[in-house]
Amino acid sequence: MDEKKLDVDKLAENFLQKCRSLPKIKVGVVFPSNEDSLGGAIEASHLGLIDPVFIGPKSRVQQVAKQMGVDVSNYQLIDSIDPEDAAKQAVQLAREGKVESLMKGNLHTDELMHAVIKKENGLRTSRRISHAFIMAIEKYHKPFIVTDAAINIAPDLMVKKDIVQNAIDLFHAFNKEVMPKVALLSAVETIHPEMTSTTDAACLAKMAERGQITGAIVDGPFAYDNVFSLHAAQTKNIHSSVIGEVDIFVVPNLEAGNILAKQLILIADAVSAGIILGAAVPIILTSRSDNIRSRIGSCAVAVMMVHAKKCREEMQ
Protein backbone atom coordinates (compact mmCIF):
# COMPACT_ATOMS: atom_id res chain seq x y z
CA MET A 1 0.00 0.00 0.00
CA ASP A 2 1.03 3.63 -0.45
CA GLU A 3 1.85 4.33 3.21
CA LYS A 4 4.18 1.37 3.64
CA LYS A 5 7.93 1.53 3.02
CA LEU A 6 10.22 -1.30 2.04
CA ASP A 7 13.76 -1.74 3.31
CA VAL A 8 15.16 -2.55 -0.12
CA ASP A 9 18.74 -3.19 1.02
CA LYS A 10 17.62 -5.61 3.73
CA LEU A 11 15.30 -7.40 1.31
CA ALA A 12 18.09 -7.81 -1.25
CA GLU A 13 20.54 -9.05 1.39
CA ASN A 14 18.04 -11.59 2.77
CA PHE A 15 17.29 -12.89 -0.70
CA LEU A 16 20.98 -13.17 -1.51
CA GLN A 17 21.65 -15.09 1.69
CA LYS A 18 18.80 -17.47 0.93
CA CYS A 19 20.24 -18.19 -2.53
CA ARG A 20 23.75 -18.61 -1.13
CA SER A 21 22.43 -21.40 1.07
CA LEU A 22 21.54 -23.40 -2.05
CA PRO A 23 24.07 -25.41 -4.10
CA LYS A 24 26.02 -23.50 -6.75
CA ILE A 25 24.78 -23.79 -10.30
CA LYS A 26 26.94 -24.22 -13.38
CA VAL A 27 26.59 -21.14 -15.61
CA GLY A 28 27.88 -20.61 -19.12
CA VAL A 29 29.06 -16.99 -19.31
CA VAL A 30 28.88 -15.94 -22.94
CA PHE A 31 31.66 -13.67 -24.24
CA PRO A 32 32.87 -12.09 -20.96
CA SER A 33 35.33 -9.80 -22.72
CA ASN A 34 35.08 -6.71 -20.51
CA GLU A 35 35.44 -5.95 -16.82
CA ASP A 36 31.72 -5.69 -16.03
CA SER A 37 30.71 -9.04 -17.50
CA LEU A 38 33.78 -10.90 -16.24
CA GLY A 39 33.77 -9.21 -12.85
CA GLY A 40 30.07 -9.85 -12.25
CA ALA A 41 30.46 -13.58 -12.88
CA ILE A 42 33.57 -13.84 -10.71
CA GLU A 43 31.92 -11.96 -7.86
CA ALA A 44 28.86 -14.24 -8.09
CA SER A 45 31.26 -17.19 -7.92
CA HIS A 46 33.02 -15.79 -4.85
CA LEU A 47 29.62 -15.37 -3.19
CA GLY A 48 28.87 -19.03 -3.71
CA LEU A 49 26.10 -18.58 -6.27
CA ILE A 50 27.55 -19.91 -9.52
CA ASP A 51 30.36 -22.00 -10.94
CA PRO A 52 31.09 -20.09 -14.16
CA VAL A 53 32.25 -21.56 -17.44
CA PHE A 54 33.67 -18.74 -19.55
CA ILE A 55 33.08 -18.97 -23.30
CA GLY A 56 34.93 -16.27 -25.23
CA PRO A 57 38.27 -15.16 -26.67
CA LYS A 58 40.75 -16.75 -24.28
CA SER A 59 43.52 -14.19 -24.67
CA ARG A 60 41.12 -11.28 -24.25
CA VAL A 61 39.47 -12.78 -21.16
CA GLN A 62 42.88 -13.41 -19.59
CA GLN A 63 43.96 -9.85 -20.44
CA VAL A 64 40.85 -8.34 -18.83
CA ALA A 65 41.35 -10.54 -15.76
CA LYS A 66 44.96 -9.36 -15.48
CA GLN A 67 43.83 -5.72 -15.71
CA MET A 68 41.35 -6.40 -12.90
CA GLY A 69 43.95 -8.16 -10.80
CA VAL A 70 42.01 -11.44 -10.62
CA ASP A 71 43.08 -15.00 -11.32
CA VAL A 72 40.92 -16.99 -13.74
CA SER A 73 43.22 -20.01 -13.99
CA ASN A 74 40.91 -22.09 -11.79
CA TYR A 75 37.89 -21.49 -14.00
CA GLN A 76 37.00 -23.43 -17.13
CA LEU A 77 37.66 -21.21 -20.15
CA ILE A 78 36.48 -22.27 -23.60
CA ASP A 79 38.12 -20.36 -26.42
CA SER A 80 35.72 -18.73 -28.87
CA ILE A 81 36.55 -16.35 -31.64
CA ASP A 82 33.48 -14.11 -31.70
CA PRO A 83 30.09 -13.54 -30.01
CA GLU A 84 28.18 -15.67 -32.52
CA ASP A 85 30.44 -18.67 -31.96
CA ALA A 86 30.42 -18.16 -28.19
CA ALA A 87 26.62 -18.12 -28.12
CA LYS A 88 26.47 -21.27 -30.24
CA GLN A 89 28.90 -23.10 -27.97
CA ALA A 90 27.10 -21.95 -24.83
CA VAL A 91 23.74 -23.18 -26.11
CA GLN A 92 25.29 -26.54 -26.96
CA LEU A 93 26.66 -26.83 -23.42
CA ALA A 94 23.18 -26.16 -22.06
CA ARG A 95 21.62 -28.74 -24.41
CA GLU A 96 24.13 -31.32 -23.19
CA GLY A 97 23.37 -30.51 -19.55
CA LYS A 98 26.92 -29.31 -18.91
CA VAL A 99 25.65 -25.92 -17.70
CA GLU A 100 22.35 -25.21 -15.90
CA SER A 101 22.00 -21.59 -16.95
CA LEU A 102 23.49 -19.07 -19.37
CA MET A 103 24.67 -15.54 -18.65
CA LYS A 104 24.96 -12.74 -21.18
CA GLY A 105 28.40 -11.17 -21.32
CA ASN A 106 29.76 -8.39 -23.53
CA LEU A 107 27.59 -9.05 -26.59
CA HIS A 108 24.28 -7.82 -27.92
CA THR A 109 21.14 -9.56 -26.71
CA ASP A 110 20.22 -10.41 -30.32
CA GLU A 111 23.53 -12.23 -30.79
CA LEU A 112 22.81 -14.47 -27.82
CA MET A 113 19.11 -14.95 -28.49
CA HIS A 114 19.69 -15.90 -32.13
CA ALA A 115 21.39 -19.08 -30.94
CA VAL A 116 18.86 -19.66 -28.14
CA ILE A 117 15.72 -19.51 -30.32
CA LYS A 118 16.93 -21.66 -33.22
CA LYS A 119 14.37 -24.35 -34.02
CA GLU A 120 17.17 -26.86 -34.36
CA ASN A 121 19.88 -27.04 -31.71
CA GLY A 122 18.43 -24.13 -29.74
CA LEU A 123 16.83 -23.95 -26.31
CA ARG A 124 13.21 -23.39 -27.29
CA THR A 125 10.34 -25.05 -25.43
CA SER A 126 6.60 -25.06 -26.05
CA ARG A 127 6.42 -21.71 -24.24
CA ARG A 128 7.22 -18.35 -25.85
CA ILE A 129 10.48 -16.91 -24.52
CA SER A 130 10.09 -13.70 -22.50
CA HIS A 131 12.02 -11.44 -20.15
CA ALA A 132 11.22 -10.44 -16.58
CA PHE A 133 12.64 -7.77 -14.30
CA ILE A 134 12.43 -8.60 -10.61
CA MET A 135 12.39 -5.23 -8.86
CA ALA A 136 12.05 -3.58 -5.47
CA ILE A 137 11.63 0.07 -4.57
CA GLU A 138 11.28 1.77 -1.20
CA LYS A 139 7.84 3.22 -2.00
CA TYR A 140 6.21 -0.15 -2.70
CA HIS A 141 5.79 -2.63 0.12
CA LYS A 142 6.98 -5.78 -1.64
CA PRO A 143 9.13 -6.87 -4.58
CA PHE A 144 7.42 -7.19 -7.95
CA ILE A 145 7.95 -8.35 -11.52
CA VAL A 146 7.76 -6.24 -14.70
CA THR A 147 7.36 -8.17 -17.96
CA ASP A 148 8.16 -8.12 -20.90
CA ALA A 149 10.60 -5.24 -21.28
CA ALA A 150 13.37 -6.78 -23.38
CA ILE A 151 12.35 -9.56 -25.78
CA ASN A 152 8.87 -9.37 -27.34
CA ILE A 153 8.42 -6.09 -29.19
CA ALA A 154 4.68 -6.11 -29.90
CA PRO A 155 3.25 -9.33 -28.47
CA ASP A 156 -0.17 -10.54 -29.61
CA LEU A 157 -2.74 -12.11 -27.31
CA MET A 158 -1.33 -15.64 -27.29
CA VAL A 159 2.24 -14.41 -26.82
CA LYS A 160 1.02 -12.32 -23.88
CA LYS A 161 -0.57 -15.47 -22.46
CA ASP A 162 2.88 -17.10 -22.35
CA ILE A 163 4.47 -13.92 -20.99
CA VAL A 164 1.97 -13.92 -18.11
CA GLN A 165 2.36 -17.64 -17.39
CA ASN A 166 6.17 -17.41 -17.48
CA ALA A 167 6.07 -14.63 -14.89
CA ILE A 168 3.65 -16.55 -12.69
CA ASP A 169 5.92 -19.60 -12.77
CA LEU A 170 8.88 -17.38 -11.87
CA PHE A 171 6.97 -16.02 -8.88
CA HIS A 172 6.22 -19.55 -7.70
CA ALA A 173 9.94 -20.39 -7.84
CA PHE A 174 10.28 -17.98 -4.89
CA ASN A 175 6.93 -18.47 -3.20
CA LYS A 176 4.86 -21.61 -3.70
CA GLU A 177 2.23 -20.73 -1.12
CA VAL A 178 0.91 -17.40 -2.47
CA MET A 179 -1.28 -16.75 -5.50
CA PRO A 180 0.41 -13.76 -7.16
CA LYS A 181 -1.71 -10.85 -8.28
CA VAL A 182 -1.19 -9.85 -11.90
CA ALA A 183 -2.06 -6.40 -13.29
CA LEU A 184 -2.44 -6.05 -17.06
CA LEU A 185 -1.38 -2.51 -17.90
CA SER A 186 -2.74 -0.12 -20.49
CA ALA A 187 -3.52 3.61 -20.57
CA VAL A 188 -7.11 3.23 -19.29
CA GLU A 189 -9.24 0.87 -17.22
CA THR A 190 -12.07 0.50 -19.71
CA ILE A 191 -12.28 -1.58 -22.87
CA HIS A 192 -11.56 0.47 -25.98
CA PRO A 193 -11.86 -1.44 -29.29
CA GLU A 194 -9.18 0.69 -30.95
CA MET A 195 -6.73 0.15 -28.08
CA THR A 196 -5.57 -3.45 -28.44
CA SER A 197 -3.94 -3.51 -25.03
CA THR A 198 -7.36 -3.11 -23.39
CA THR A 199 -9.05 -5.90 -25.34
CA ASP A 200 -6.04 -8.19 -24.85
CA ALA A 201 -6.13 -7.49 -21.11
CA ALA A 202 -9.82 -8.34 -20.89
CA CYS A 203 -9.22 -11.61 -22.76
CA LEU A 204 -6.26 -12.54 -20.56
CA ALA A 205 -8.25 -11.90 -17.40
CA LYS A 206 -11.06 -14.14 -18.69
CA MET A 207 -8.51 -16.80 -19.74
CA ALA A 208 -7.26 -16.87 -16.16
CA GLU A 209 -10.82 -17.31 -14.90
CA ARG A 210 -11.29 -20.24 -17.29
CA GLY A 211 -8.00 -21.97 -16.40
CA GLN A 212 -6.05 -21.16 -19.57
CA ILE A 213 -3.67 -19.20 -17.34
CA THR A 214 -3.05 -20.83 -13.97
CA GLY A 215 -1.61 -20.07 -10.56
CA ALA A 216 -2.52 -16.39 -10.19
CA ILE A 217 -5.24 -13.77 -9.87
CA VAL A 218 -5.20 -11.84 -13.15
CA ASP A 219 -7.08 -8.58 -13.80
CA GLY A 220 -7.03 -5.66 -16.21
CA PRO A 221 -6.82 -3.44 -18.06
CA PHE A 222 -5.43 -0.85 -15.66
CA ALA A 223 -3.57 2.42 -16.01
CA TYR A 224 -0.36 2.16 -13.99
CA ASP A 225 -1.21 4.80 -11.39
CA ASN A 226 -4.61 3.29 -10.63
CA VAL A 227 -3.23 -0.17 -9.90
CA PHE A 228 -0.01 0.88 -8.17
CA SER A 229 -1.77 3.29 -5.85
CA LEU A 230 -4.79 2.31 -3.77
CA HIS A 231 -5.51 6.00 -3.18
CA ALA A 232 -5.64 6.72 -6.93
CA ALA A 233 -7.99 3.79 -7.51
CA GLN A 234 -10.30 4.83 -4.69
CA THR A 235 -10.41 8.38 -6.02
CA LYS A 236 -11.59 7.04 -9.40
CA ASN A 237 -13.86 4.40 -7.84
CA ILE A 238 -11.97 1.49 -9.39
CA HIS A 239 -12.28 -1.83 -7.58
CA SER A 240 -10.12 -4.96 -7.86
CA SER A 241 -8.33 -7.29 -5.46
CA VAL A 242 -5.03 -6.63 -7.26
CA ILE A 243 -5.02 -2.85 -6.72
CA GLY A 244 -2.23 -1.83 -4.37
CA GLU A 245 -1.13 -5.47 -4.06
CA VAL A 246 0.33 -6.23 -7.47
CA ASP A 247 3.06 -8.87 -7.71
CA ILE A 248 3.39 -8.88 -11.51
CA PHE A 249 2.98 -5.89 -13.84
CA VAL A 250 2.38 -7.00 -17.44
CA VAL A 251 3.08 -4.22 -19.94
CA PRO A 252 1.39 -3.93 -23.35
CA ASN A 253 4.61 -3.83 -25.39
CA LEU A 254 8.38 -3.65 -25.13
CA GLU A 255 8.59 0.14 -25.34
CA ALA A 256 6.25 0.61 -22.41
CA GLY A 257 8.06 -2.03 -20.35
CA ASN A 258 11.50 -0.72 -21.12
CA ILE A 259 10.55 2.84 -20.22
CA LEU A 260 8.80 1.75 -17.01
CA ALA A 261 11.69 -0.45 -15.84
CA LYS A 262 14.37 2.15 -16.58
CA GLN A 263 12.38 4.90 -14.85
CA LEU A 264 12.07 2.71 -11.77
CA ILE A 265 15.81 2.02 -11.81
CA LEU A 266 17.04 5.55 -12.56
CA ILE A 267 14.43 7.66 -10.76
CA ALA A 268 13.06 5.40 -8.02
CA ASP A 269 16.45 3.75 -7.28
CA ALA A 270 15.00 0.30 -7.83
CA VAL A 271 17.06 -2.77 -7.10
CA SER A 272 16.62 -5.00 -10.13
CA ALA A 273 17.54 -8.35 -11.62
CA GLY A 274 16.85 -9.58 -15.14
CA ILE A 275 16.10 -13.09 -16.36
CA ILE A 276 14.87 -14.72 -19.56
CA LEU A 277 12.08 -17.24 -19.11
CA GLY A 278 10.54 -19.92 -21.29
CA ALA A 279 13.81 -21.42 -22.55
CA ALA A 280 15.15 -24.83 -21.54
CA VAL A 281 17.41 -23.11 -18.98
CA PRO A 282 17.17 -19.70 -17.30
CA ILE A 283 19.19 -17.04 -19.07
CA ILE A 284 20.72 -14.27 -16.98
CA LEU A 285 20.21 -11.13 -19.03
CA THR A 286 21.54 -7.80 -17.84
CA SER A 287 22.27 -4.61 -19.71
CA ARG A 288 25.89 -3.87 -20.49
CA SER A 289 25.42 -0.74 -18.35
CA ASP A 290 24.13 -2.67 -15.32
CA ASN A 291 26.19 -2.61 -12.15
CA ILE A 292 27.67 -5.56 -10.30
CA ARG A 293 24.78 -5.61 -7.82
CA SER A 294 22.27 -6.15 -10.61
CA ARG A 295 24.39 -8.90 -12.16
CA ILE A 296 24.71 -10.69 -8.82
CA GLY A 297 20.99 -10.35 -8.19
CA SER A 298 20.25 -11.85 -11.59
CA CYS A 299 22.54 -14.79 -10.81
CA ALA A 300 20.71 -15.31 -7.53
CA VAL A 301 17.38 -15.44 -9.38
CA ALA A 302 18.78 -18.11 -11.72
CA VAL A 303 19.95 -20.15 -8.72
CA MET A 304 16.45 -20.06 -7.27
CA MET A 305 14.89 -21.05 -10.61
CA VAL A 306 17.23 -24.00 -11.15
CA HIS A 307 16.62 -25.20 -7.58
CA ALA A 308 12.82 -24.90 -8.00
CA LYS A 309 12.97 -26.88 -11.25
CA LYS A 310 14.95 -29.67 -9.57
CA CYS A 311 12.42 -29.80 -6.73
CA ARG A 312 9.56 -30.13 -9.22
CA GLU A 313 11.32 -32.91 -11.09
CA GLU A 314 12.01 -34.81 -7.86
CA MET A 315 8.34 -34.62 -6.92
CA GLN A 316 7.16 -36.03 -10.26
Side-chain angles (χ1 to χ4, degrees):
M1 309 296 287
D2 297 57
E3 70 274 8
K4 296 180 182 178
K5 298 292 184 181
L6 183 68
D7 187 334
V8 174
D9 290 335
K10 183 177 180 181
L11 175 75
E13 182 59 30
N14 289 343
F15 175 66
L16 182 60
Q17 291 302 323
K18 182 177 181 179
C19 293
R20 291 179 69 182
S21 70
L22 300 172
K24 278 187 178 184
I25 63 171
K26 200 91 166 178
V27 175
V29 185
V30 188
F31 217 73
S33 62
N34 67 352
E35 291 191 10
D36 287 335
S37 57
L38 184 63
I42 291 174
E43 182 63 22
S45 174
H46 289 166
L47 288 171
L49 295 170
I50 70 171
D51 181 11
V53 176
F54 297 117
I55 307 121
K58 189 172 183 178
S59 59
R60 174 59 182 163
V61 172
Q62 291 172 335
Q63 179 185 3
V64 172
K66 184 177 181 180
Q67 291 171 351
M68 296 171 60
V70 298
D71 182 9
V72 293
S73 61
N74 292 326
Y75 296 107
Q76 185 178 356
L77 175 53
I78 299 173
D79 196 21
S80 180
I81 56 174
D82 56 38
E84 181 181 352
D85 180 68
K88 181 180 178 181
Q89 290 199 56
V91 166
Q92 186 59 35
L93 289 173
R95 286 178 58 85
E96 294 172 355
K98 294 179 180 178
V99 297
E100 299 165 284
S101 176
L102 299 182
M103 182 177 184
K104 175 177 173 280
N106 186 33
L107 74 168
H108 291 288
T109 299
D110 288 349
E111 292 175 314
L112 174 58
M113 294 309 299
H114 178 73
V116 169
I117 65 174
K118 279 188 174 181
K119 290 184 177 180
E120 295 183 3
N121 301 320
L123 296 174
R124 297 175 72 166
T125 66
S126 60
R127 197 80 65 77
R128 180 72 174 226
I129 289 174
S130 61
H131 178 271
F133 277 113
I134 302 91
M135 314 190 85
I137 59 175
E138 182 183 285
K139 194 174 181 181
Y140 196 64
H141 60 287
K142 57 182 175 179
F144 55 90
I145 294 169
V146 174
T147 188
D148 177 344
I151 297 294
N152 295 286
I153 297 172
D156 62 20
L157 175 62
M158 298 311 290
V159 171
K160 287 179 181 178
K161 172 182 175 289
D162 280 355
I163 290 171
V164 172
Q165 192 66 65
N166 284 344
I168 294 168
D169 292 349
L170 172 62
F171 180 93
H172 285 301
F174 305 107
N175 192 332
K176 300 181 182 67
E177 309 302 324
V178 174
M179 288 272 283
K181 295 183 177 180
V182 180
L184 306 164
L185 298 182
S186 182
V188 295
E189 295 76 33
T190 54
I191 307 302
H192 195 303
E194 295 182 10
M195 195 177 296
T196 305
S197 59
T198 66
T199 56
D200 282 354
C203 290
L204 291 165
K206 181 57 69 174
M207 291 167 82
E209 287 183 16
R210 300 287 175 83
Q212 289 177 270
I213 297 171
T214 60
I217 299 167
V218 181
D219 200 4
F222 294 108
Y224 178 71
D225 59 335
N226 296 327
V227 74
F228 182 85
S229 166
L230 179 60
H231 173 73
Q234 289 174 336
T235 300
K236 296 184 180 181
N237 199 31
I238 301 167
H239 303 283
S240 171
S241 63
V242 309
I243 290 172
E245 290 294 336
V246 182
D247 297 291
I248 301 170
F249 292 93
V250 179
V251 298
N253 53 46
L254 186 146
E255 291 100 324
N258 193 271
I259 292 168
L260 174 59
K262 287 181 178 176
Q263 283 183 326
L264 289 168
I265 293 168
L266 297 174
I267 298 175
D269 295 323
V271 172
S272 70
I275 202 83
I276 289 180
L277 313 168
V281 300
I283 301 171
I284 301 160
L285 183 70
T286 54
S287 169
R288 283 171 291 172
S289 63
D290 282 345
N291 58 30
I292 293 291
R293 185 178 188 180
S294 179
R295 294 175 188 274
I296 291 170
S298 301
C299 289
V301 171
V303 170
M304 190 67 74
M305 289 181 65
V306 169
H307 177 72
K309 181 181 178 182
K310 287 180 178 178
C311 289
R312 288 195 303 270
E313 291 172 349
E314 289 173 358
M315 293 176 63
Q316 291 176 354

